[in-house]
Amino acid sequence: DSGVTQTPKHLITATGQRVTLRCSPRSGDLSVYWYQQSLDQGLQFLIQYYNGEERAKGNILERFSAQQFPDLHSELNLSSLELGDSALYFCASSVNGKEGYTGELFFGEGSRLTVL
Amino acid sequence: GEDVEQSLFLSVREGDSSVINCTYTDSSSTYLYWYKQEPGAGLQLLTYIFSNMDMKQDQRLTVLLNKKDKHLSLRIADTQTGDSAIYFCAERASGTYKYIFGTGTRLKVLA
């Protein structure tokens, strides 16, 4: 158990809909990362938050947005869903910046999104 | 560019050694990581190495780093069926919090 919790584990929805994926980082971790894993594209970095603020952006579509709340949990919002958005979405957390930091990311088990 | 490249598949027999390869791009000081993803699970860190090292050994795992060629390898000795998984290489430039992952290598261990 990594200590990172993601909900829901599975989600099936239709094209055009909107969903929200939730992530609770490990206790004490200030940084949250979101990744998308699809069969043909490996692990794609979407976005990173640190202590409530956006720190880095990757290949995140404009239809997607995220935020990190004061209690450090994060949500990834996916809207106007398309078939190609079907993927496994991972959240990872890290201490970032603390002394002795080696950079380990702790991953949740992922949320599997299927768009029909 | 920012590409971390890995071969997609590797198949070995139980008891043999597995060698998973990765090439990275950052030329500055960097951390390099190996993560393992078992079916239905998230990624879990196996080991990491800093770019001022050539080798790191941890039980059955040996990481070799060729800085000149920007080549990283993970050797698993006495490979077991429980080692069947996807292995990801990742790099992070020192002083940054940006990780770049490879596409993953799917290791299949044959009994």
Side-chain angles (χ1 to χ4, degrees):
Chain A
D1 181 6
S2 67
V4 177
T5 304
Q6 288 188 249
T7 57
K9 288 195 185 318
H10 300 277
L11 192 54
I12 301 174
T13 189
T15 54
Q17 295 298 305
R18 173 191 166 95
V19 298
T20 297
L21 309 179
R22 182 188 167 103
C23 169
S24 294
R26 281 191 330 154
S27 176
D29 284 358
L30 299 179
S31 198
V32 169
Y33 297 76
W34 285 98
Y35 287 89
Q36 179 192 56
Q37 185 181 31
S38 51
L39 281 175
D40 58 348
Q41 291 191 5
L43 202 65
Q44 297 290 318
F45 168 64
L46 296 178
I47 199 164
Q48 180 206 357
Y49 280 83
Y50 178 78
N51 204 20
E53 297 200 1
E54 181 184 306
R55 175 169 269 185
K57 224 170 187 177
N59 301 320
I60 188 166
L61 299 172
E62 284 192 14
R63 300 183 286 110
F64 296 180
S65 64
Q67 55 183 322
Q68 186 179 29
F69 295 86
D71 67 352
L72 301 177
H73 91 271
S74 178
E75 293 181 356
L76 179 67
N77 301 296
L78 315 174
S79 61
S80 302
L81 286 168
E82 302 175 359
L83 296 177
D85 298 327
S86 294
L88 196 52
Y89 291 85
F90 283 109
C91 167
S93 74
S94 179
V95 296
N96 272 183
K98 289 193 178 174
E99 204 166 315
Y101 174 67
T102 58
E104 179 173 2
L105 291 179
F106 295 86
F107 282 80
E109 293 186 350
S111 293
R112 183 171 293 282
L113 173 65
T114 302
V115 182
L116 301 176
Chain B
E2 294 182 330
D3 277 334
V4 175
E5 296 186 352
Q6 300 178 239
S7 51
L8 291 180
F9 299 100
L10 178 65
S11 180
V12 300
R13 295 209 172 274
E14 191 174 17
D16 288 350
S17 291
S18 308
V19 179
I20 302 171
N21 295 302
C22 167
T23 55
Y24 63 99
T25 58
D26 201 294
S27 59
S28 61
S29 59
T30 189
Y31 285 89
L32 296 147
Y33 304 88
W34 283 106
Y35 282 83
K36 177 183 181 183
Q37 183 185 24
E38 297 186 3
L43 282 69
Q44 186 174 18
L45 182 69
L46 284 177
T47 187
Y48 69 92
I49 191 169
F50 190 54
S51 58
N52 65 356
M53 301 167 66
D54 296 321
M55 186 185 92
K56 183 177 182 181
Q57 187 156 3
D58 183 2
Q59 299 182 335
R60 292 191 298 123
L61 305 179
T62 303
V63 178
L64 293 177
L65 178 60
N66 179 330
K67 289 181 281 293
K68 175 175 169 289
D69 296 335
K70 296 192 179 69
H71 182 265
L72 182 74
S73 67
L74 174 69
R75 178 177 180 270
I76 306 173
D78 187 25
T79 313
Q80 303 297 306
T81 54
D83 294 324
S84 292
I86 303 176
Y87 291 81
F88 288 90
C89 165
E91 68 169 327
R92 176 179 71 89
S94 181
T96 77
Y97 300 110
K98 184 177 179 182
Y99 298 77
I100 302 168
F101 281 82
T103 51
T105 299
R106 187 179 294 272
L107 173 66
K108 184 173 182 179
V109 182
L110 305 171

